[in-house]
Amino acid sequence: DADVTQTPRNRITKTGKRIMLECSQTKGHDRMYWYRQDPGLGLRLIYYSFDVKDINKGEISDGYSVSRQAQAKFSLSLESAIPNQTALYFCATSGDLGANVLTFGAGSRLTVL
Amino acid sequence: AQSVTQLGSHVSVSEGALVLLRCNYSSSVPPYLFWYVQYPNQGLQLLLKYTSAATLVKGINGFEAEFKKSETSFHLTKPSAHMSDAAEYFCAVSWMDSSYKLIFGSGTRLLVRP
């Protein structure tokens, strides 16, 4: 099994629908992240969590929310999806050491029509 | 503001040729520096990282990168490209005063011609 598992891997939805992307990890890491990848823009941080009681906004959090249900689970929600949220979404985890190395999931491709 | 810039969204080389992917950061404080690779339909995986030890860092698959403080650069090189190196490469930086959150460059897609 993968260290970081994302579900669903692909999702097509319509404008205005609520969508949840889920992430679970077996690394035992406290830190979890959600990134969005768009062509030519690299990866941009949406939200991050350093432990179960800690949630922080990243650089592009508008239109998104997250929930850290447990150390191993971190979900991303789009309350009312819009077409410009069409992107590839990555969950990642890291340990607490300073020079953090991220372990990424395989990605969730979301298309909003 | 702290940032990272990758010069060239696409780089094309012939198989066997030198690979050079450029990365520059903007900060007065040297950051931690990383290169990640993304193969088609996969997540990102770490190639190598610089954490203030040796300035020349060796990574997986024959890649290496050199930290040059005077040039605020961390360019990625490989002496001889292989077809399997075709992928997208991301430079990333983090700083202690930003809780070590990674900031990614926009990525460079490496194409390897036979």
Side-chain angles (χ1 to χ4, degrees):
Chain A
D1 288 343
D3 292 330
V4 182
T5 302
Q6 292 184 232
T7 56
R9 292 293 313 281
N10 288 282
R11 181 71 183 270
I12 299 173
T13 190
K14 294 182 179 180
T15 297
K17 294 292 188 181
R18 183 178 188 276
I19 294 297
M20 178 180 287
L21 305 179
E22 298 184 337
C23 176
S24 62
Q25 53 117 344
T26 59
K27 299 285 289 184
H29 287 163
D30 284 327
R31 300 184 176 193
M32 298 188 73
Y33 309 79
W34 275 104
Y35 284 89
R36 167 178 172 159
Q37 183 181 19
D38 297 279
L41 295 178
L43 279 75
R44 293 179 291 168
L45 184 61
I46 306 173
Y47 270 96
Y48 62 101
S49 169
F50 283 175
D51 65 43
V52 175
K53 298 180 181 179
D54 176 74
I55 300 289
N56 303 281
K57 293 182 177 180
E59 61 180 299
I60 56 163
S61 59
D62 287 349
Y64 301 95
S65 62
V66 291
S67 174
R68 184 80 184 266
Q69 300 96 324
Q71 185 205 35
K73 296 184 182 296
F74 192 38
S75 60
L76 177 71
S77 294
L78 288 68
E79 296 301 324
S80 180
I82 56 177
N84 75 1
Q85 292 177 312
T86 294
L88 184 57
Y89 292 85
F90 285 103
C91 176
T93 73
S94 71
D96 293 334
L97 295 178
N100 288 332
V101 175
L102 299 185
T103 301
F104 283 85
S108 296
R109 184 169 296 281
L110 176 65
T111 302
V112 184
L113 301 176
Chain B
Q2 297 162 332
S3 65
V4 56
T5 302
Q6 291 183 242
L7 187 62
S9 59
H10 291 79
V11 170
S12 181
V13 300
S14 297
E15 191 172 20
L18 171 71
V19 175
L20 171 60
L21 305 182
R22 300 178 186 274
C23 174
N24 289 87
Y25 65 91
S26 61
S27 171
S28 59
V29 177
Y32 296 119
L33 294 149
F34 307 79
W35 276 98
Y36 282 83
V37 60
Q38 183 182 29
Y39 297 104
N41 300 312
Q42 296 186 27
L44 282 72
Q45 56 185 278
L46 182 71
L47 265 183
L48 50 80
K49 66 178 182 180
Y50 167 76
T51 59
S52 74
T55 57
L56 182 63
V57 181
K58 295 187 184 297
I60 62 172
N61 301 335
F63 284 93
E64 63 182 36
E66 185 173 10
F67 171 64
K68 292 187 177 181
K69 183 178 178 180
S70 61
E71 299 177 7
T72 60
S73 69
F74 190 56
H75 301 330
L76 181 71
T77 60
K78 181 173 181 178
S80 177
H82 190 273
M83 297 298 290
S84 61
D85 294 328
E88 189 154 22
Y89 293 80
F90 293 93
C91 182
V93 298
S94 70
W95 287 270
M96 182 178 68
D97 62 357
S98 65
S99 301
Y100 302 108
K101 297 189 305 295
L102 279 188
I103 299 173
F104 285 86
S106 56
T108 298
R109 185 168 298 280
L110 177 65
L111 307 172
V112 182
R113 304 185 302 271

